[in-house]
Amino acid sequence: MTGSNKGIGYAIVRGLCKQFKGDVVLTARNEDLGKKAVQSLNEEGLSPKFHQLDITDQASIGRFGDFIKNTYGGIDVLVNNAGIAYKNDSTAPFGEQAEVTIKTNYFGTLAISNALFPLLRPHARVVNVSSMSSSFAIRKCSPEIQAKFMNPNITEEELTHLLNDFIQAAKNGDHEKKGYPNSAYGMSKVGVTVLSQIQHRQLSADPREDIILNACCPGYVDTDMSSHKGPKTIDEGADTPIYLALLPEGVKTPAGDFVAGRKAHKWNEYQYTP
Ligand code: NAP
């Protein structure tokens, strides 16, 4: 579980501790915050393990990968939940917001996936926590840009190139002229949703049996990220990610889907209803 010292990630750990037959590792980039989170789950009678993990730090990713390999030899469930969002009233330049947000939400998710996918066991489940913001953002792209992101054969290199192009345009101040929307977070989550489809294709072709990856939207949730404006509790937000993390062996769907409210949706057409 990435980014699980608070918010939806914390609630996913809580739910998995109750339902998953095996160790659940709560990770946090800040060790003190992570250990405090473990302590508060201990007070509920739950016993997650802890390991430090910053998904933007290659050394931290390496240490976490070694810990998993040496302690468990493999991994049954990976939930890529860690993410950031600038506040709407942030005064940081838009180019900086684009670069920093995509560095964590897209490049961080890609980096931890690349490190841990070799450790996935047969029947493993991977859940990428994306957002309805990816649906809003893709619809605001020009038809030309939409077509590039929606190409069913898009490669990881092409996706990375497109997101870097968005960052460069955001820095130059001409991203809207080039057909991109004015949302750094939205574009970072377009990255996560499209990356999930690419990763699904890769894992479907993998010789290891029955590994399923889905992207999801947790809904609009009462967390620090939403400035506590979301109506859902963190446990309600954790429901779909936990459902996907625990998909039973041999299920055929959802797989490679964008899932919200436990249902698969066409991500570019998805309309969020609370
Ligand atoms: P949150 O309360 O702000 O929690 C985000 C978590 O990610 C925190 O634990 C944070 O750690 C961690 N994190 C950030 N950068 C990290 C990094 N580089 N390495 C490791 N961990 C990192 O937000 P949330 O609302 O629970 O969001 C969880 C996920 O749901 C995110 O992917 C978000 O985009 C998505 N989402 C949320 C909503 C919503 O309404 N809240 C809606 C749609 C999607 P720190 O405590 O150190 O910052």
Side-chain angles (χ1 to χ4, degrees):
M1 267 299 316
T2 70
S4 36
N5 53 287
K6 66 176 184 180
I8 299 164
Y10 177 82
I12 297 173
V13 168
R14 173 156 56 202
L16 288 177
C17 282
K18 291 177 185 168
Q19 297 177 54
F20 178 72
K21 290 183 192 64
D23 283 357
V24 180
V25 185
L26 182 154
T27 70
R29 57 180 167 175
N30 178 310
E31 192 142 352
D32 287 342
L33 294 178
K35 286 184 173 163
K36 278 192 190 121
V38 168
Q39 207 178 342
S40 80
L41 288 169
N42 288 161
E43 283 159 18
E44 292 182 33
L46 303 170
S47 309
K49 308 291 176 196
F50 174 72
H51 203 281
Q52 193 275 348
L53 176 62
D54 181 337
I55 62 165
T56 62
D57 176 353
Q58 206 52 51
S60 169
I61 290 175
R63 286 191 297 273
F64 182 66
D66 288 345
F67 160 75
I68 292 289
K69 201 171 171 183
N70 298 334
T71 314
Y72 300 105
I75 195 163
D76 299 299
V77 172
L78 168 63
V79 184
N80 282 318
N81 164 80
I84 59 160
Y86 282 79
K87 299 293 174 198
N88 285 337
D89 62 359
S90 169
T91 54
F94 187 69
E96 182 185 314
Q97 294 193 27
E99 185 165 46
V100 173
T101 310
I102 289 174
K103 181 181 175 198
T104 300
N105 297 359
Y106 173 72
F107 286 107
T109 300
L110 179 60
I112 188 66
S113 299
N114 286 343
L116 296 184
F117 279 11
L119 299 177
L120 293 173
R121 292 198 179 102
H123 312 291
R125 303 294 179 243
V126 182
V127 185
N128 289 343
V129 181
S130 190
S131 171
M132 64 284 227
S133 299
S134 66
S135 313
F136 305 151
I138 192 71
R139 291 199 289 269
K140 286 192 182 147
C141 290
S142 68
E144 292 76 26
I145 298 286
Q146 279 190 34
K148 290 182 182 173
F149 281 108
M150 299 299 296
N151 170 6
N153 300 314
I154 188 171
T155 63
E156 187 186 300
E157 291 69 28
E158 287 165 343
L159 176 59
T160 292
H161 178 79
L162 274 171
L163 291 169
N164 279 329
D165 185 58
F166 167 67
I167 293 169
Q168 197 51 53
K171 286 184 175 175
N172 297 342
D174 63 357
H175 56 284
E176 289 182 290
K177 215 189 299 171
K178 289 188 84 174
Y180 295 108
N182 209 25
S183 170
Y185 177 73
M187 288 309 294
S188 77
K189 291 298 189 177
V190 166
V192 173
T193 302
V194 176
L195 176 65
S196 304
Q197 297 177 340
I198 296 167
Q199 291 175 327
H200 164 69
R201 272 192 269 137
Q202 290 166 349
L203 291 171
S204 304
D206 194 283
R208 288 166 293 179
E209 190 192 349
D210 184 35
I211 297 180
I212 294 184
L213 178 148
N214 286 289
C216 70
C217 173
Y220 193 28
V221 183
D222 177 358
T223 65
D224 287 347
M225 182 180 282
S226 70
S227 302
H228 299 279
K229 289 185 184 138
K232 284 190 170 189
T233 66
I234 54 172
D235 293 303
E236 288 167 344
D239 178 73
T240 290
I242 292 171
Y243 156 74
L244 294 172
L246 299 177
L247 284 174
E249 281 187 14
V251 293
K252 295 293 173 233
T253 56
D257 284 309
F258 179 84
V259 182
R262 295 194 178 206
K263 287 200 184 78
H265 300 268
K266 279 191 180 161
W267 73 278
N268 56 320
E269 293 174 9
Y270 177 63
Q271 301 279 356
Y272 177 65
T273 42

